[in-house]
Coordinates of all heavy atoms in Angstrom, one line a residue:
M1 N -5.2 46.7 4.0 CA -6.2 47.8 4.0 C -6.8 48.0 2.7 O -6.2 47.9 1.7 CB -5.4 49.1 4.5 CG -4.8 49.0 5.9 SD -6.0 48.9 7.2 CE -5.3 50.0 8.4
T2 N -8.1 48.5 2.7 CA -8.8 48.7 1.5 C -9.6 50.0 1.6 O -10.1 50.3 2.7 CB -9.9 47.6 1.3 OG1 -9.3 46.3 1.5 CG2 -10.5 47.6 0.0
W3 N -9.6 50.7 0.5 CA -10.3 52.0 0.5 C -11.8 51.7 0.3 O -12.1 51.0 -0.6 CB -9.8 52.9 -0.6 CG -8.5 53.5 -0.3 CD1 -7.3 53.1 -0.7 CD2 -8.2 54.6 0.6 NE1 -6.3 53.8 -0.2 CE2 -6.8 54.8 0.6 CE3 -9.0 55.4 1.4 CZ2 -6.2 55.8 1.4 CZ3 -8.4 56.4 2.1 CH2 -7.0 56.6 2.1
K4 N -12.6 52.2 1.2 CA -14.1 52.0 1.1 C -14.8 53.3 1.1 O -14.5 54.2 2.0 CB -14.6 51.2 2.2 CG -14.2 49.7 2.1 CD -15.1 48.9 3.0 CE -14.7 47.4 2.7 NZ -15.1 46.5 3.7
K5 N -15.8 53.5 0.2 CA -16.6 54.7 0.3 C -17.5 54.7 1.4 O -18.2 53.7 1.6 CB -17.3 54.9 -1.0 CG -18.2 56.2 -1.1 CD -18.9 56.4 -2.4 CE -19.8 57.6 -2.3 NZ -20.5 57.8 -3.6
V6 N -17.5 55.7 2.3 CA -18.4 55.7 3.4 C -19.5 56.8 3.4 O -20.5 56.7 4.1 CB -17.6 55.8 4.8 CG1 -16.8 54.5 5.0 CG2 -16.7 57.0 4.8
A7 N -19.3 57.8 2.6 CA -20.2 58.9 2.6 C -20.1 59.7 1.3 O -19.1 59.7 0.7 CB -20.0 59.8 3.8
E8 N -21.2 60.5 1.1 CA -21.1 61.5 0.0 C -20.2 62.6 0.5 O -20.0 62.8 1.7 CB -22.5 62.0 -0.3 CG -23.4 60.9 -0.8 CD -22.9 60.2 -2.1 OE1 -22.3 60.8 -2.9 OE2 -23.2 59.0 -2.2
K9 N -19.6 63.4 -0.4 CA -18.7 64.4 -0.1 C -19.2 65.4 0.9 O -18.4 65.9 1.7 CB -18.3 65.2 -1.4 CG -17.1 64.6 -2.1 CD -17.0 65.2 -3.5 CE -15.8 66.1 -3.5 NZ -15.5 66.5 -4.9
D10 N -20.5 65.8 0.8 CA -21.0 66.8 1.7 C -21.7 66.3 2.9 O -22.5 67.0 3.5 CB -21.9 67.8 0.9 CG -23.1 67.0 0.3 OD1 -23.1 65.8 0.4 OD2 -23.9 67.6 -0.3
A11 N -21.5 65.0 3.2 CA -22.2 64.4 4.3 C -21.9 64.9 5.7 O -22.7 64.8 6.6 CB -22.0 62.9 4.3
I12 N -20.7 65.5 5.9 CA -20.2 65.9 7.2 C -20.0 67.4 7.1 O -19.1 67.9 6.4 CB -19.0 65.2 7.6 CG1 -19.2 63.7 7.5 CG2 -18.6 65.5 9.1 CD1 -17.9 62.9 7.6
A13 N -20.7 68.2 7.9 CA -20.6 69.6 7.8 C -19.2 70.0 8.4 O -18.7 69.3 9.3 CB -21.7 70.3 8.6
P14 N -18.7 71.1 8.0 CA -17.4 71.6 8.6 C -17.6 71.9 10.1 O -18.6 72.4 10.5 CB -17.2 73.0 7.9 CG -17.9 72.8 6.6 CD -19.1 72.0 6.9
G15 N -16.6 71.4 10.9 CA -16.6 71.6 12.3 C -17.5 70.6 13.0 O -17.7 70.7 14.2
K16 N -17.9 69.5 12.3 CA -18.8 68.5 12.9 C -18.2 67.1 12.6 O -17.3 66.9 11.8 CB -20.2 68.5 12.2 CG -20.9 69.8 12.4 CD -21.4 69.9 13.8 CE -22.2 71.2 14.0 NZ -22.5 71.5 15.4
G17 N -18.8 66.1 13.3 CA -18.4 64.7 13.1 C -19.6 63.9 12.8 O -20.7 64.4 13.1
K18 N -19.4 62.7 12.3 CA -20.5 61.8 12.1 C -20.0 60.4 12.3 O -18.9 60.1 12.0 CB -21.0 62.0 10.6 CG -22.4 61.6 10.4 CD -22.9 62.2 9.0 CE -24.4 62.1 9.0 NZ -24.9 62.7 7.8
E19 N -20.9 59.5 12.7 CA -20.5 58.1 13.0 C -21.0 57.2 11.8 O -22.1 57.4 11.3 CB -21.1 57.6 14.3 CG -20.7 56.2 14.7 CD -21.2 55.8 16.0 OE1 -20.6 56.2 17.1 OE2 -22.3 55.1 16.1
F20 N -20.1 56.3 11.4 CA -20.4 55.4 10.4 C -20.0 54.0 10.9 O -19.1 53.8 11.7 CB -19.6 55.6 9.1 CG -19.8 57.0 8.6 CD1 -19.1 58.1 9.0 CD2 -20.8 57.2 7.6 CE1 -19.3 59.4 8.5 CE2 -21.1 58.5 7.1 CZ -20.3 59.5 7.5
T21 N -20.8 53.0 10.5 CA -20.4 51.6 10.8 C -19.8 51.0 9.5 O -20.4 50.9 8.5 CB -21.6 50.8 11.2 OG1 -22.2 51.4 12.4 CG2 -21.3 49.4 11.6
V22 N -18.5 50.6 9.7 CA -17.8 50.1 8.5 C -17.2 48.8 8.9 O -16.4 48.7 9.9 CB -16.7 51.0 8.1 CG1 -16.0 50.5 6.8 CG2 -17.2 52.5 7.9
D23 N -17.5 47.7 8.2 CA -17.1 46.4 8.6 C -17.3 46.1 10.1 O -16.5 45.5 10.8 CB -15.6 46.2 8.3 CG -15.3 46.2 6.8 OD1 -16.3 46.1 6.0 OD2 -14.1 46.3 6.4
G24 N -18.5 46.5 10.6 CA -18.8 46.2 11.9 C -18.2 47.1 13.0 O -18.5 47.0 14.2
K25 N -17.3 48.0 12.5 CA -16.7 49.0 13.5 C -17.4 50.3 13.4 O -17.7 50.8 12.4 CB -15.2 49.2 13.1 CG -14.3 48.1 13.3 CD -12.9 48.6 12.9 CE -11.9 47.5 13.2 NZ -10.5 48.0 13.0
K26 N -17.6 50.9 14.6 CA -18.1 52.2 14.6 C -17.0 53.3 14.6 O -16.1 53.2 15.4 CB -18.9 52.4 15.9 CG -20.2 51.6 15.9 CD -21.1 52.0 17.1 CE -22.4 51.2 17.1 NZ -23.2 51.3 16.0
I27 N -17.0 54.1 13.5 CA -15.9 55.0 13.2 C -16.5 56.4 13.1 O -17.5 56.6 12.5 CB -15.2 54.6 11.9 CG1 -14.6 53.2 12.1 CG2 -14.2 55.6 11.5 CD1 -14.0 52.6 10.9
A28 N -15.8 57.3 13.8 CA -16.2 58.8 13.7 C -15.3 59.4 12.7 O -14.1 59.3 12.7 CB -16.1 59.4 15.1
I29 N -16.0 60.2 11.8 CA -15.2 61.0 10.9 C -15.5 62.5 11.2 O -16.7 62.8 11.2 CB -15.5 60.7 9.4 CG1 -15.2 59.2 9.1 CG2 -14.7 61.6 8.5 CD1 -15.5 58.8 7.7
F30 N -14.5 63.2 11.4 CA -14.6 64.7 11.7 C -14.1 65.5 10.5 O -13.1 65.2 9.9 CB -13.8 65.0 12.9 CG -14.3 64.3 14.2 CD1 -13.7 63.2 14.6 CD2 -15.4 64.8 14.9 CE1 -14.2 62.5 15.8 CE2 -15.9 64.2 16.0 CZ -15.3 63.0 16.4
N31 N -14.9 66.5 10.2 CA -14.5 67.5 9.2 C -14.0 68.7 9.9 O -14.8 69.7 10.2 CB -15.8 67.8 8.3 CG -15.5 68.8 7.2 OD1 -14.4 69.3 7.1 ND2 -16.5 69.1 6.4
Q32 N -12.8 68.7 10.3 CA -12.2 69.8 11.1 C -10.8 70.0 10.5 O -9.8 69.3 10.8 CB -12.1 69.3 12.5 CG -11.4 70.2 13.5 CD -12.3 71.4 14.0 OE1 -13.2 71.8 13.3 NE2 -12.1 71.8 15.2
N33 N -10.6 71.1 9.7 CA -9.3 71.3 9.1 C -8.9 70.1 8.3 O -7.8 69.6 8.6 CB -8.3 71.8 10.1 CG -8.7 73.0 10.8 OD1 -9.3 73.9 10.2 ND2 -8.5 73.0 12.1
G34 N -9.7 69.6 7.5 CA -9.5 68.3 6.8 C -10.3 67.2 7.5 O -11.0 67.5 8.5
F35 N -10.2 66.0 6.9 CA -11.1 64.9 7.5 C -10.2 64.0 8.3 O -9.1 63.7 7.9 CB -11.7 64.2 6.4 CG -12.9 64.9 5.7 CD1 -12.6 65.8 4.6 CD2 -14.2 64.8 6.2 CE1 -13.6 66.5 4.0 CE2 -15.2 65.5 5.6 CZ -14.9 66.4 4.5
H36 N -10.7 63.6 9.5 CA -10.0 62.7 10.4 C -10.9 61.6 10.9 O -12.1 61.9 11.2 CB -9.4 63.5 11.6 CG -8.7 64.8 11.2 ND1 -7.4 64.7 10.7 CD2 -9.1 66.1 11.1 CE1 -7.0 65.9 10.3 NE2 -8.0 66.8 10.6
A37 N -10.4 60.4 10.9 CA -11.3 59.3 11.3 C -10.6 58.5 12.4 O -9.4 58.3 12.4 CB -11.5 58.4 10.1
L38 N -11.4 58.1 13.4 CA -10.9 57.3 14.5 C -12.1 56.4 15.0 O -13.3 56.8 14.8 CB -10.3 58.1 15.6 CG -11.1 59.1 16.4 CD1 -10.4 59.4 17.7 CD2 -11.3 60.4 15.6
D39 N -11.8 55.4 15.8 CA -12.8 54.6 16.4 C -13.7 55.6 17.2 O -13.2 56.5 17.9 CB -12.3 53.5 17.3 CG -11.7 52.4 16.5 OD1 -12.1 52.2 15.4 OD2 -10.9 51.6 17.1
S40 N -15.0 55.4 17.2 CA -15.9 56.4 17.8 C -16.3 56.1 19.2 O -17.0 56.9 19.8 CB -17.1 56.6 16.9 OG -18.0 55.6 17.0
I41 N -15.9 54.9 19.7 CA -16.4 54.6 21.0 C -15.4 54.9 22.1 O -14.3 54.5 22.2 CB -16.7 53.0 21.1 CG1 -17.7 52.6 19.9 CG2 -17.2 52.6 22.4 CD1 -19.0 53.4 20.0
C42 N -15.9 55.8 23.0 CA -15.1 56.3 24.1 C -14.7 55.1 25.0 O -15.6 54.3 25.3 CB -15.9 57.3 24.9 SG -15.0 58.0 26.3
V43 N -13.5 55.1 25.5 CA -13.1 53.9 26.4 C -13.7 54.0 27.8 O -13.6 53.1 28.5 CB -11.5 53.9 26.5 CG1 -10.9 53.6 25.1 CG2 -10.9 55.1 27.1
H44 N -14.2 55.2 28.1 CA -14.8 55.3 29.5 C -16.1 54.5 29.6 O -16.0 53.5 30.3 CB -15.1 56.8 29.8 CG -15.6 57.0 31.1 ND1 -16.7 57.9 31.4 CD2 -15.3 56.5 32.3 CE1 -17.0 57.9 32.7 NE2 -16.2 57.0 33.3
Q45 N -17.1 54.9 29.0 CA -18.4 54.1 29.1 C -19.1 54.0 27.7 O -20.3 54.2 27.7 CB -19.3 54.7 30.1 CG -18.8 54.5 31.5 CD -19.7 55.0 32.6 OE1 -20.8 55.5 32.4 NE2 -19.3 54.9 33.9
D46 N -18.3 53.9 26.7 CA -18.8 53.6 25.3 C -19.7 54.7 24.7 O -20.5 54.5 23.9 CB -19.7 52.3 25.3 CG -18.8 51.1 25.7 OD1 -17.6 51.2 25.6 OD2 -19.4 50.1 26.1
G47 N -19.4 56.0 25.1 CA -20.1 57.1 24.5 C -19.6 57.2 23.0 O -18.5 56.9 22.7
S48 N -20.5 57.7 22.2 CA -20.1 58.0 20.8 C -19.4 59.4 20.7 O -20.0 60.4 21.2 CB -21.2 58.0 19.9 OG -20.8 58.4 18.6
L49 N -18.2 59.4 20.2 CA -17.5 60.7 20.1 C -18.0 61.5 18.9 O -17.7 62.7 18.9 CB -16.0 60.4 19.9 CG -15.3 59.6 21.0 CD1 -13.8 59.3 20.7 CD2 -15.4 60.4 22.3
A50 N -18.7 60.9 18.0 CA -19.0 61.6 16.7 C -19.8 62.9 17.0 O -19.5 63.9 16.3 CB -19.8 60.7 15.8
P51 N -20.7 63.0 17.9 CA -21.4 64.3 18.2 C -20.7 65.2 19.2 O -21.2 66.2 19.6 CB -22.8 63.8 18.7 CG -22.5 62.5 19.3 CD -21.4 61.9 18.7
G52 N -19.5 64.8 19.5 CA -18.7 65.6 20.5 C -18.3 67.0 20.0 O -18.2 67.2 18.8
K53 N -18.1 67.8 21.0 CA -17.7 69.2 20.7 C -16.2 69.2 20.3 O -15.4 68.6 20.9 CB -17.9 70.1 21.9 CG -18.0 71.6 21.7 CD -18.5 72.3 22.9 CE -17.4 72.4 23.9 NZ -17.9 73.1 25.1
L54 N -15.9 70.0 19.2 CA -14.6 70.0 18.7 C -13.9 71.4 19.1 O -14.6 72.4 19.1 CB -14.5 69.9 17.2 CG -14.8 68.5 16.6 CD1 -15.2 68.6 15.1 CD2 -13.6 67.6 16.8
D55 N -12.6 71.3 19.5 CA -11.8 72.5 19.7 C -10.5 72.2 19.2 O -9.7 71.5 19.8 CB -11.8 72.7 21.3 CG -11.0 74.0 21.6 OD1 -10.6 74.7 20.7 OD2 -10.8 74.3 22.8
G56 N -10.2 72.7 18.0 CA -8.9 72.4 17.3 C -8.9 70.9 17.0 O -9.8 70.4 16.4
D57 N -7.8 70.3 17.4 CA -7.7 68.8 17.1 C -8.3 68.0 18.2 O -8.1 66.7 18.2 CB -6.2 68.5 17.1 CG -5.5 69.1 15.9 OD1 -6.2 69.5 14.9 OD2 -4.2 69.1 15.9
V58 N -9.0 68.6 19.1 CA -9.5 67.8 20.3 C -11.1 67.7 20.2 O -11.8 68.6 20.0 CB -9.1 68.5 21.6 CG1 -9.7 67.8 22.8 CG2 -7.6 68.6 21.7
V59 N -11.5 66.4 20.5 CA -13.0 66.2 20.6 C -13.3 65.9 22.0 O -12.5 65.1 22.7 CB -13.5 65.1 19.6 CG1 -12.9 63.8 19.9 CG2 -15.0 65.1 19.6
E60 N -14.4 66.4 22.5 CA -14.9 66.1 23.9 C -16.0 65.1 23.8 O -17.0 65.3 23.2 CB -15.3 67.4 24.5 CG -15.7 67.3 25.9 CD -16.1 68.7 26.5 OE1 -17.2 69.1 26.2 OE2 -15.3 69.3 27.2
C61 N -15.9 64.0 24.5 CA -16.9 63.0 24.6 C -18.2 63.7 25.2 O -18.1 64.3 26.3 CB -16.5 61.8 25.4 SG -17.8 60.6 25.6
P62 N -19.3 63.5 24.6 CA -20.5 64.2 25.1 C -21.0 63.7 26.4 O -21.8 64.4 27.1 CB -21.6 64.0 24.0 CG -20.9 63.3 22.9 CD -19.6 62.8 23.3
L63 N -20.6 62.5 26.8 CA -21.2 61.9 28.0 C -20.6 62.4 29.3 O -21.2 62.9 30.2 CB -21.1 60.4 28.0 CG -22.0 59.7 26.9 CD1 -22.1 58.2 27.2 CD2 -23.4 60.3 26.9
H64 N -19.2 62.3 29.4 CA -18.6 62.8 30.7 C -17.3 63.6 30.4 O -16.5 63.7 31.2 CB -18.2 61.6 31.6 CG -19.3 60.6 31.7 ND1 -19.3 59.4 30.9 CD2 -20.4 60.5 32.4 CE1 -20.4 58.7 31.1 NE2 -21.1 59.4 32.1
F65 N -17.2 64.1 29.1 CA -16.3 65.1 28.8 C -14.8 64.7 28.8 O -13.9 65.5 29.1 CB -16.5 66.4 29.7 CG -18.0 66.7 29.8 CD1 -18.6 66.7 31.1 CD2 -18.7 66.9 28.7 CE1 -19.9 66.9 31.2 CE2 -20.1 67.2 28.9 CZ -20.7 67.2 30.1
W66 N -14.5 63.4 28.5 CA -13.1 63.0 28.3 C -12.7 63.6 26.9 O -13.6 63.8 26.0 CB -12.9 61.5 28.4 CG -13.0 61.0 29.8 CD1 -13.6 61.5 30.8 CD2 -12.5 59.7 30.2 NE1 -13.5 60.7 31.9 CE2 -12.9 59.6 31.6 CE3 -11.9 58.7 29.6 CZ2 -12.5 58.4 32.3 CZ3 -11.5 57.5 30.3 CH2 -11.8 57.4 31.7
H67 N -11.4 63.8 26.7 CA -10.9 64.4 25.5 C -10.0 63.5 24.7 O -9.2 62.8 25.3 CB -10.2 65.7 25.8 CG -11.1 66.7 26.5 ND1 -11.3 66.7 27.9 CD2 -11.9 67.7 26.0 CE1 -12.2 67.7 28.2 NE2 -12.5 68.3 27.0
Y68 N -10.1 63.5 23.4 CA -9.2 62.8 22.5 C -8.7 63.7 21.4 O -9.4 64.6 20.9 CB -10.0 61.7 21.8 CG -10.6 60.6 22.8 CD1 -11.8 60.8 23.4 CD2 -9.9 59.4 22.9 CE1 -12.3 59.8 24.3 CE2 -10.4 58.4 23.8 CZ -11.6 58.7 24.5 OH -12.1 57.7 25.3
N69 N -7.5 63.4 21.0 CA -6.9 64.0 19.8 C -7.5 63.3 18.6 O -7.3 62.1 18.4 CB -5.4 64.0 19.8 CG -4.7 64.7 18.7 OD1 -5.1 64.4 17.5 ND2 -3.8 65.6 19.0
I70 N -8.1 64.0 17.7 CA -8.8 63.4 16.5 C -7.8 63.0 15.5 O -8.1 62.2 14.6 CB -9.9 64.3 15.9 CG1 -9.3 65.6 15.4 CG2 -11.0 64.5 16.9 CD1 -10.3 66.4 14.6
K71 N -6.5 63.5 15.5 CA -5.5 63.1 14.6 C -4.8 61.8 15.0 O -4.4 61.0 14.2 CB -4.5 64.2 14.3 CG -5.1 65.4 13.6 CD -4.1 66.5 13.3 CE -4.7 67.6 12.4 NZ -3.8 68.7 12.4
T72 N -4.5 61.7 16.3 CA -3.7 60.6 16.8 C -4.6 59.5 17.5 O -4.1 58.4 17.7 CB -2.7 61.1 17.8 OG1 -3.3 61.6 19.0 CG2 -1.8 62.2 17.2
G73 N -5.8 59.9 17.9 CA -6.6 59.0 18.7 C -6.3 58.9 20.2 O -6.9 58.2 20.9
E74 N -5.3 59.7 20.6 CA -4.8 59.7 21.9 C -5.9 60.2 22.9 O -6.4 61.3 22.7 CB -3.5 60.4 22.0 CG -2.8 60.3 23.4 CD -1.6 61.2 23.4 OE1 -1.3 61.9 22.4 OE2 -1.0 61.3 24.5
L75 N -6.1 59.5 24.0 CA -6.9 60.0 25.1 C -6.0 61.0 25.9 O -4.9 60.7 26.3 CB -7.3 58.8 26.0 CG -8.0 59.2 27.3 CD1 -9.4 59.8 27.1 CD2 -8.2 58.0 28.2
L76 N -6.6 62.1 26.2 CA -5.8 63.2 26.8 C -6.1 63.4 28.3 O -5.5 64.2 28.9 CB -6.1 64.5 26.1 CG -5.9 64.5 24.6 CD1 -6.4 65.8 23.9 CD2 -4.4 64.3 24.3
D77 N -7.0 62.6 28.9 CA -7.3 62.7 30.3 C -7.1 61.4 31.0 O -7.3 60.3 30.4 CB -8.8 63.0 30.5 CG -9.3 64.2 29.7 OD1 -8.8 65.3 29.9 OD2 -10.1 64.1 28.8
Y78 N -6.8 61.4 32.3 CA -6.9 60.3 33.2 C -6.0 59.1 33.0 O -5.4 58.7 34.0 CB -8.4 59.9 33.3 CG -9.4 61.0 33.6 CD1 -10.3 61.4 32.7 CD2 -9.3 61.7 34.8 CE1 -11.1 62.4 32.9 CE2 -10.1 62.7 35.1 CZ -11.1 63.1 34.1 OH -11.9 64.1 34.4
I79 N -6.0 58.5 31.9 CA -5.3 57.3 31.7 C -4.2 57.5 30.6 O -4.5 57.9 29.5 CB -6.2 56.1 31.2 CG1 -7.4 56.0 32.1 CG2 -5.4 54.8 31.3 CD1 -8.5 55.1 31.5
K80 N -3.0 57.3 30.9 CA -1.9 57.5 30.0 C -1.8 56.3 29.0 O -2.0 55.2 29.5 CB -0.6 57.7 30.7 CG -0.4 59.1 31.3 CD 1.1 59.4 31.4 CE 1.4 60.7 32.0 NZ 0.7 61.9 31.6
G81 N -1.4 56.5 27.8 CA -1.1 55.4 26.9 C -2.3 54.8 26.2 O -2.2 53.8 25.5
V82 N -3.5 55.4 26.3 CA -4.7 54.9 25.6 C -4.8 55.6 24.3 O -4.8 56.9 24.2 CB -6.0 55.1 26.5 CG1 -7.2 54.7 25.7 CG2 -5.8 54.3 27.8
K83 N -5.0 54.8 23.2 CA -5.1 55.4 21.9 C -6.2 54.7 21.2 O -6.2 53.5 21.1 CB -3.8 55.2 21.1 CG -3.0 56.5 21.0 CD -1.8 56.2 20.0 CE -1.0 57.5 19.9 NZ 0.0 57.4 18.9
L84 N -7.2 55.4 20.6 CA -8.1 54.8 19.7 C -7.5 54.6 18.4 O -6.6 55.4 18.0 CB -9.4 55.7 19.6 CG -10.1 56.0 20.9 CD1 -11.3 57.0 20.6 CD2 -10.7 54.7 21.4
E85 N -7.9 53.6 17.6 CA -7.4 53.4 16.3 C -7.8 54.6 15.4 O -8.9 55.0 15.4 CB -7.9 52.1 15.7 CG -7.1 51.7 14.5 CD -7.3 50.2 14.1 OE1 -7.8 49.5 14.9 OE2 -6.9 49.9 13.0
T86 N -6.9 55.0 14.5 CA -7.2 56.0 13.5 C -7.1 55.4 12.1 O -6.5 54.4 11.9 CB -6.2 57.2 13.6 OG1 -4.9 56.7 13.5 CG2 -6.3 57.9 15.0
Y87 N -7.7 56.1 11.2 CA -7.8 55.6 9.8 C -7.5 56.8 8.9 O -7.9 57.9 9.1 CB -9.2 55.1 9.5 CG -9.6 54.0 10.5 CD1 -10.3 54.4 11.7 CD2 -9.4 52.7 10.3 CE1 -10.7 53.5 12.7 CE2 -9.7 51.7 11.3 CZ -10.4 52.1 12.4 OH -10.7 51.2 13.4
K88 N -6.9 56.4 7.7 CA -6.7 57.4 6.7 C -8.0 57.7 6.0 O -8.8 56.8 5.7 CB -5.7 56.9 5.6 CG -4.3 56.8 6.1 CD -3.4 56.4 5.0 CE -2.0 56.1 5.5 NZ -1.3 55.2 4.7
V89 N -8.2 59.0 5.7 CA -9.4 59.4 5.0 C -9.0 60.1 3.7 O -8.0 60.9 3.7 CB -10.2 60.5 5.8 CG1 -11.6 60.7 5.2 CG2 -10.4 60.0 7.2
E90 N -9.7 59.9 2.6 CA -9.5 60.6 1.4 C -10.8 61.0 0.8 O -11.7 60.3 0.7 CB -8.7 59.7 0.4 CG -7.9 60.4 -0.6 CD -7.0 59.5 -1.4 OE1 -6.0 59.0 -0.8 OE2 -7.3 59.3 -2.6
V91 N -10.8 62.3 0.3 CA -12.0 62.8 -0.3 C -11.7 62.7 -1.8 O -10.8 63.3 -2.4 CB -12.3 64.2 0.0 CG1 -13.6 64.7 -0.7 CG2 -12.5 64.3 1.5
K92 N -12.5 61.8 -2.5 CA -12.4 61.6 -3.9 C -13.6 62.3 -4.6 O -14.4 62.9 -3.9 CB -12.4 60.1 -4.3 CG -11.2 59.4 -3.6 CD -11.1 58.0 -4.1 CE -9.9 57.3 -3.3 NZ -9.7 56.0 -3.7
K93 N -13.5 62.3 -5.9 CA -14.6 63.0 -6.7 C -16.0 62.6 -6.2 O -16.9 63.4 -6.2 CB -14.5 62.7 -8.2 CG -13.6 63.6 -8.9 CD -13.7 63.3 -10.4 CE -12.4 63.7 -11.1 NZ -12.2 62.9 -12.3
D94 N -16.2 61.3 -6.0 CA -17.5 60.8 -5.7 C -17.8 60.6 -4.2 O -18.9 60.0 -3.9 CB -17.8 59.6 -6.5 CG -16.9 58.4 -6.1 OD1 -15.8 58.7 -5.5 OD2 -17.3 57.3 -6.2
G95 N -17.0 61.0 -3.3 CA -17.3 60.8 -1.9 C -16.1 60.7 -1.0 O -15.0 60.9 -1.4
I96 N -16.4 60.4 0.3 CA -15.4 60.3 1.3 C -15.0 58.8 1.5 O -15.9 57.9 1.7 CB -15.9 60.8 2.6 CG1 -16.3 62.3 2.5 CG2 -14.9 60.6 3.7 CD1 -17.0 62.9 3.6
Y97 N -13.7 58.5 1.4 CA -13.3 57.1 1.5 C -12.4 56.9 2.7 O -11.7 57.8 3.2 CB -12.4 56.8 0.3 CG -13.2 56.5 -1.0 CD1 -13.8 57.6 -1.7 CD2 -13.4 55.2 -1.5 CE1 -14.6 57.3 -2.8 CE2 -14.1 55.0 -2.6 CZ -14.7 56.0 -3.3 OH -15.4 55.8 -4.4
L98 N -12.5 55.7 3.2 CA -11.8 55.3 4.4 C -10.9 54.2 4.1 O -11.3 53.2 3.4 CB -12.8 54.9 5.5 CG -12.5 55.1 6.9 CD1 -12.2 56.5 7.3 CD2 -13.7 54.6 7.7
D99 N -9.7 54.2 4.6 CA -8.7 53.0 4.4 C -8.9 52.1 5.6 O -8.5 52.4 6.7 CB -7.3 53.5 4.3 CG -6.3 52.5 3.9 OD1 -6.8 51.4 3.4 OD2 -5.1 52.7 4.1
I100 N -9.6 51.0 5.4 CA -9.9 50.1 6.5 C -9.6 48.7 6.2 O -9.8 48.3 5.1 CB -11.4 50.3 7.0 CG1 -11.6 49.6 8.3 CG2 -12.4 50.0 6.0 CD1 -12.8 50.0 9.1
Ligands
FES1 S1 -18.4 57.7 27.9 FE1 -16.9 59.2 27.2 S2 -16.4 60.3 28.9 FE2 -17.7 58.8 29.7

């Protein structure tokens, strides 16, 4: 794993998420009680989770409203045992870094 800078410190507003492409992967980073990163593509029909509505640790896919835990990547509806990959995030002096 390698730390990579993905954004400036203020790139993601509190309570919001943003999608980044890092090493060809689409990753959503949420600024919700700290920063949390996970694969951004919903397993249902490939919706992007980044613009999804947040409620605590849960993001709702904007397309058909499936829910994921943004800390664990776990899908909370319909199919048991599905987990999106999660990544460590660190905010350094010069920006937001992802361990990928
Ligand atoms: S694409 Fe996410 S719920 Fe359908």
Side-chain angles (χ1 to χ4, degrees):
M1 299 290 223
T2 311
W3 288 100
K4 286 197 173 164
K5 181 178 174 180
V6 292
E8 300 301 324
K9 271 170 111 170
D10 59 355
I12 310 165
K16 299 285 182 194
K18 206 167 195 177
E19 185 176 278
F20 300 90
T21 301
V22 186
D23 291 350
K25 287 184 176 185
K26 289 189 184 299
I27 296 172
I29 302 180
F30 295 98
N31 181 357
Q32 174 84 331
N33 302 318
F35 287 88
H36 308 284
L38 65 160
D39 283 341
S40 73
I41 304 302
C42 179
V43 298
H44 179 224
Q45 287 183 5
D46 298 339
S48 173
L49 300 176
K53 200 167 74 182
L54 286 163
D55 182 4
D57 293 343
V58 176
V59 64
E60 183 177 76
C61 179
L63 293 192
H64 316 96
F65 318 118
W66 288 21
H67 299 88
Y68 296 83
N69 182 307
I70 60 171
K71 289 183 175 170
T72 65
E74 188 184 356
L75 173 66
L76 304 172
D77 308 297
Y78 307 112
I79 311 167
K80 282 204 184 312
V82 174
K83 256 187 181 187
L84 298 175
E85 192 165 349
T86 57
Y87 306 89
K88 287 185 193 156
V89 188
E90 204 170 292
V91 180
K92 300 187 182 184
K93 271 191 208 150
D94 64 334
I96 299 170
Y97 284 72
L98 209 57
D99 190 16
I100 187 163

